[in-house]
Amino acid sequence: MLGAPYERRTIELGTDDEGPVVATVVRRRADRPTGRAVLYVHGFVDYFFQTHVADFFAERGWDFYALDLRKYGRSLLPHQTPNFCRDLSDYFPELDAAAEIIRAEEGHDTLLAMGHSTGGLIISLWADARRDAGLVDGIVLNSPFFDINAPWAVRRPLAAAVARLGRRAPQRILPFGLGTVYGESLHADHRGEWRYDLAWKPLAGFPVRAGWLNAIRTGQRRLRAGLTIEVPVLLACSTRSFRGAKWHESATGADAVLDVEHMVRWAPRLGRHVTVARFDGGLHDLTLSSPGVREKVFAEVGRWAEGFLRAGPTEPAPESAPPAPRSPADEPADARAAAGAEG
């Protein structure tokens, strides 16, 4: 899909009630590797296509790994319900496997986990559950899904009722969806600048099912009760949210999916070392914002990584510097077998 220098590797995850399950790791190697790596996890109705994010890290010596979770993007199989899960811990096996590839198989000594929206919630819960394993050295959360973007009566009493329904009838489709405003603000065929597969990331999203909403609500309750993430966390979000159901130009400079105040409110529940950075004009996926905004986002991520992970430099290597040689003998056999498969 992406072509060189991207490679993909399939992680076999057994079966569930719908049949075989897989996840997919997409890799972009740095030209001058430094032993540092990023593991990126997308949001709901999403998959990895943000190659400029990988380029930013790779130019600075970070090998970049993106994980298409089970039933998302490259990992979505014909027999599966798109983006569905019953518990957010269902995703922990592919996160464990990706970390094993990055740490044990490919020998990186620094791992930065980066999660967007629902991926930010999943990464947070996983990092808390695996805090004694030392898998990650830092976390960047890009507009994480810490609460439902709705009035209190919907977020609490109604969500509790839906959660009970989700346990009895998890595949029940709920009578509300995501709307098209955010998708219109992104896709180049509408009002945005980005091109991606609308079969994997449709403008109006996929149907919201009761079991999925129960999984989200359960995960959010765990987070709001307080996690114990031991590593530094950077939480980044926009300065404002867009709440309209129909298109308006103001949607091009705000989070049109979630309430950014929820993110800021619950940030202290992540752990003891959390930095919050807000960006005027930021979209829900900050890295897909207008060029000026995303430049500020990347600069902040670079400064934060340099300051808290001792992971400088934040500037790309000089173009005149020759790439460091990489011998095939340095790679494990299964990684060499996967090399060359396009992302």
Side-chain angles (χ1 to χ4, degrees), residues 59-80:
E59 289 168 1
R60 290 155 176 81
W62 298 72
D63 286 345
F64 185 90
Y65 300 77
L67 182 62
D68 276 13
L69 299 168
R70 64 184 70 196
K71 306 187 183 183
Y72 283 84
R74 298 165 182 82
S75 308
L76 178 61
L77 302 178
H79 60 273
Q80 293 177 329

Side-chain angles (χ1 to χ4, degrees), residues 150-228:
W152 179 87
V154 176
R155 297 200 315 271
R156 299 297 181 262
L158 183 58
V162 171
R164 291 191 291 271
L165 174 64
R167 291 190 286 271
R168 298 194 308 271
Q171 292 282 1
R172 179 77 61 84
I173 294 176
L174 302 176
F176 53 80
L178 301 181
T180 63
V181 171
Y182 180 54
E184 289 181 50
S185 74
L186 296 183
H187 203 277
D189 288 347
H190 297 270
R191 307 170 195 270
E193 62 174 294
W194 307 100
R195 293 204 174 274
Y196 48 82
D197 192 332
L198 290 172
W200 289 346
K201 187 176 174 64
L203 289 185
F206 294 110
V208 175
R209 298 176 185 270
W212 176 86
L213 190 59
N214 178 50
I216 293 294
R217 180 177 179 272
T218 301
Q220 290 175 341
R221 290 180 66 191
R222 291 176 193 153
L223 180 140
R224 294 195 300 267
L227 304 181
T228 310

